Amino acid sequence: MSLGLVPNEEFYGPAPATANLTFKFADPGTHVQALQNGDINVIEPQATVDTMDQLSGMGDTVTTLTGDEMTWEHLDFNFAEGSVFSDDEGGLAAREAFAMCVPRQQIVQNLIQPINPEAEVMNLREKFPFQDDYQEVLSAAYDGRYDEVDIEGAAAKLEEAGVETPVEVRIGYSAPNPRRTDEVTAIKASCDEAGFNIVDAGDSTFFEQGGPLETGDWEVALFAWAGSGQVASGEPIYSTGGGQNFGGYSNEEVDAAWDELASSNDPAVHLEQVKKIEKLLWDDLYGIPLFAHPGVIGHDASLENVRHNSTQTGVSWNAEQWVRAS
């Protein structure tokens, strides 16, 4: 599948440097080979260590760009009635048990730091580790209780939750995705020891209309949000009835904090409300942040003006400026 774009002759601005652009939709596992073959000229993969080795092996024919990303990986709980993680009695203890056994540091160390040595476990949702006020918000919102894996503590929390073990937890994500498959494998190796039975529920239809994410056919959802930089962009994710609140989370205090944040132009108000929101999301365990994505772009070295962009626009943000070297 592909999408072709041509210039709008009625556009009042500068003419694009390249007259035609074709966006190809292909299995992520084929992107690097397609770049090497010349079938695709620019890729922005969800990179693994192998991806970086492959790009490096292409030598001078390919240019590789890296940088910080405002896209972040997370695990979200399903709060629907009947889910082990719902807000019914025992749900919070079950969520705490899961958070205690997820090996976040191992995931970052093994999968992300080989690509970005500065990468660290991400402990917020509305601020990124590379932003100046990250530490200030973090100090107000999170006390580090889930930084280290605690299998005994997780097992005790499952007992407190009053559930029969092993507790089956389907982790849904859009497959194929080698990095997320590796993440689920790491989680299973750890959390199964605590009394869970982690099931890899990767599905190619995960994000489709009527697919698993939309219908709630999962206990934990694994995917990423791409940050826009807008201060209220997270409101529909965490507010009651929000259009992107797929797990059905609800907290009136969080709703009120978003209302105050979104109705103010004062950065000081924004900062204080973000602190409240982040703390409440940790107290309730809306979900578990994992890491900011390491930005990786590979492009045909004959192309000029391809530049990294940390926001959700991605590499195509200035595609009208791309041009082949003369």
Side-chain angles (χ1 to χ4, degrees), residues 204-239:
S204 62
T205 68
F206 188 68
F207 288 122
E208 291 182 8
Q209 184 175 2
L213 180 62
E214 185 178 285
T215 61
D217 192 17
W218 44 274
E219 281 74 51
V220 171
L222 171 61
F223 61 106
W225 287 119
S228 68
Q230 298 176 0
V231 295
S233 62
E235 183 172 12
I237 301 174
Y238 309 110
S239 59

Side-chain angles (χ1 to χ4, degrees), residues 279-317:
K279 185 176 188 310
L280 288 165
L281 293 177
W282 270 120
D283 290 346
D284 291 343
L285 265 181
Y286 170 95
I288 307 169
L290 294 173
F291 54 83
H293 281 203
V296 175
I297 293 166
H299 70 84
D300 184 325
S302 69
L303 283 179
E304 295 181 344
N305 299 328
V306 179
R307 301 187 184 97
H308 175 263
N309 185 325
S310 64
T311 69
Q312 62 189 4
T313 308
V315 66
S316 62
W317 72 280

